Structure formats: structure tokens, C-alpha cells
């Protein structure tokens, strides 16, 4: 990156690093104005039968970007994998960092664990051991608005059930909580997606993979961050 005087400006140092599972494509959360203008121009050049649909997708992308930035999402990736019936199973992975200035994030998450009332293996909050430290797994199924238009004569929007899993990891050094979340409408594959989520969380590192050969600092995870291959192959 260069400033207007053509002097090299260092990019901000990432707070942490992570790897993506096989089959996931990272979204650009900070597209340049030139890039957006180029996409808009390409849409205008499409045949009329495709132009409206492409324009709708482009506008949806802009809305999603705004919402992701509002929630301080640092990374977002879309995954498409074949399910047991040969159809496409879709999912979204988001990675965030939640600042907790003035408090100990580990204490906060530990209290959440202690206050959890879930009794089943898939309820409440449970600790998971990761290379970066102890994280906490939360998972649930819920009903939400589904994409698409409702059937003719129906005013209410379509609804669907999703599985949502989240791993929260306290980062004492920066007084924040790192979160990795996975959401999918393929509820029947929840067990598989849970492993994908945990596999992604296991790649979290406070050490720059490019500096893997250097001596790690205090509290930093050692070794190179590796990309996880999902259970879908």
C-alpha cells in the first residue's frame, strides 16, 4: 500500500491468523471503489435476461458487507460441499474479535460456562482445548427467515431451520475474545459441520505463519497455521 507521496505504508498487523477448510472461499470485506465500479459496469453490459438477477445479487452483497462491518467481522468465507444426496450443502464461516477493555475475557467466558443451564451434550457452553488455548463451544438450532420469495398468496416470508456453532477464545494479551462461527441450513449435517468449525478453530494462532521459524513471543502459539481439510473432502 502506498500513500499519495509514493512512500510505502505498512499494512496493519493482524490480531491473529487462521486457516480455512477445503471448499471455502474468502469474501473480500474491503473492496476498492474501483473494483465495485468495475463489477457494476460488467453488470450493465450483461444481456437483459441476466442483468436484473445479477444486480440483485450485487445489491445483496453490498447489504451483507455493511452488516458484517457493523458487527466487526474480520473474515467471512462461503462453503459449498456435496451432501449425502448429491445436492449442494452451503455454509458460512465468520471470524471476529470482540474487544473487552478493562476486563479479563477468560473470566467473563468462564462465568458464562458456570451460569450455563444446558444439560445435554449439545446444549449450553462447553470448553474445548485448542493449540491457542482453551476455547468455549456454543451450538444451537433456530428458525429464521429463509432466502427467496414466499409462495403466491402468502404474505409471510419463508422460514427455515439453521444450525449455528460458535467457538469463543479469550485473548488475554489484547483483552478481547476471538470468535469463529459457522452457520448452515443443512441441519442434518450438524455433526460434520461441528467438526469443520472445531477444525477451523484449531488453526487459530497469535503467531504470524510467515515468521514460523522465529522465536515465538510469550503466550504465542508456536508452529505454522495450517489449512484444515473438511470432512466433506
Amino acid at each position: 500500500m502506498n500513500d499519495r507521496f509514493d512512500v510505502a505504508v505498512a499494512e496493519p498487523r493482524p490480531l491473529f491468523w487462521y486457516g480455512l477448510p477445503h471448499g471455502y472461499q474468502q469474501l473480500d470485506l474491503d473492496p476498492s471503489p474501483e473494483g465495485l465500479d468495475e463489477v457494476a459496469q460488467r453488470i450493465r453490459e450483461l444481456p437483459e435476461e441476466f442483468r436484473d438477477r445479477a444486480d440483485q445479487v450485487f445489491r445483496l452483497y453490498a447489504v451483507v458487507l455493511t452488516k458484517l462491518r457493523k458487527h466487526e467481522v474480520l473474515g467471512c468465507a462461503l462453503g459449498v460441499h456435496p451432501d449425502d444426496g448429491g445436492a449442494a450443502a452451503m455454509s458460512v464461516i465468520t471470524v471476529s474479535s470482540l474487544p473487552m477493555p478493562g476486563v479479563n475475557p477468560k473470566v467473563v467466558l468462564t462465568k458464562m460456562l458456570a451460569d450455563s443451564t444446558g444439560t445435554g451434550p449439545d446444549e449450553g457452553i462447553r470448553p474445548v482445548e485448542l493449540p491457542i488455548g482453551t476455547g468455549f463451544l456454543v451450538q444451537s438450532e433456530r428458525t429464521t427467515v429463509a432466502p427467496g420469495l414466499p409462495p403466491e398468496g402468502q404474505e409471510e416470508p419463508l422460514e427455515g431451520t439453521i444450525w449455528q456453532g460458535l467457538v469463543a477464545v479469550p485473548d488475554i494479551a489484547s483483552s478481547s475474545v476471538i470468535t469463529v462461527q459457522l452457520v448452515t441450513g443443512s441441519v442434518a449435517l450438524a455433526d460434520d459441520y461441528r467438526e469443520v468449525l472445531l477444525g477451523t478453530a484449531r488453526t487459530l494462532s497469535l503467531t504470524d505463519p510467515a515468521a514460523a521459524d522465529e522465536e515465538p513471543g510469550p503466550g504465542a502459539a508456536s508452529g505454522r497455521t495450517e489449512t484444515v481439510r473438511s470432512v466433506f473432502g
Side-chain angles (χ1 to χ4, degrees):
M1 177 180 180
N2 296 325
D3 66 9
R4 58 179 178 173
F5 299 107
D6 292 329
V7 177
V9 177
E11 294 288 345
R13 186 178 188 275
L15 300 174
F16 54 88
W17 291 261
Y18 62 93
L20 284 177
H22 175 72
Y24 283 85
Q25 180 65 43
Q26 189 93 29
L27 290 183
D28 184 1
L29 300 184
D30 191 23
S32 66
E34 295 79 10
L36 293 176
D37 289 343
E38 181 180 351
V39 173
Q41 179 60 36
R42 290 185 179 182
I43 290 176
R44 287 192 289 267
E45 294 173 354
L46 289 173
E48 185 175 354
E49 60 268 27
F50 301 115
R51 192 182 308 145
D52 288 346
R53 181 58 176 167
D55 184 64
Q56 290 177 13
V57 173
F58 184 55
R59 293 176 184 272
L60 176 61
Y61 174 58
V63 171
V64 170
L65 279 184
T66 301
K67 290 186 176 181
L68 292 177
R69 288 171 178 169
K70 180 179 179 180
H71 291 87
E72 299 185 7
V73 171
L74 301 178
C76 179
L78 302 180
V80 180
H81 302 86
D83 62 15
D84 294 337
M90 303 186 66
S91 59
V92 180
I93 290 177
T94 54
V95 182
S96 306
S97 179
L98 176 64
M100 291 187 172
V103 301
N104 186 323
K106 187 172 184 179
V107 172
V108 174
L109 290 178
T110 302
K111 186 178 185 304
M112 291 173 59
L113 177 63
D115 294 342
S116 175
T117 58
T119 57
D122 296 334
E123 299 177 357
I125 305 173
R126 66 180 177 93
V128 290
E129 293 303 322
L130 306 170
I132 197 175
T134 301
F136 299 90
L137 170 66
V138 187
Q139 53 187 330
S140 63
E141 290 183 15
R142 60 186 180 89
T143 301
T144 185
V145 176
L149 297 175
E152 186 176 351
Q154 177 180 320
E155 296 183 358
E156 296 80 11
L158 294 173
E159 291 187 341
T161 303
I162 63 169
W163 179 86
Q164 178 177 333
L166 180 142
V167 174
V169 184
D171 179 8
I172 307 299
S174 64
S175 188
S176 63
V177 173
I178 301 170
T179 64
V180 182
Q181 178 178 261
L182 190 151
V183 178
T184 181
S186 301
V187 177
L189 298 175
D191 290 342
D192 291 332
Y193 277 115
R194 185 188 305 110
E195 293 305 311
V196 173
L197 171 65
L198 292 174
T200 305
R202 292 187 185 104
T203 71
L204 287 171
S205 174
L206 300 178
T207 301
D208 185 352
D213 296 333
E214 299 179 3
E215 187 69 22
S222 62
R224 180 177 297 272
T225 301
E226 297 180 356
T227 300
V228 175
R229 178 170 296 277
S230 80
V231 295
F232 296 97

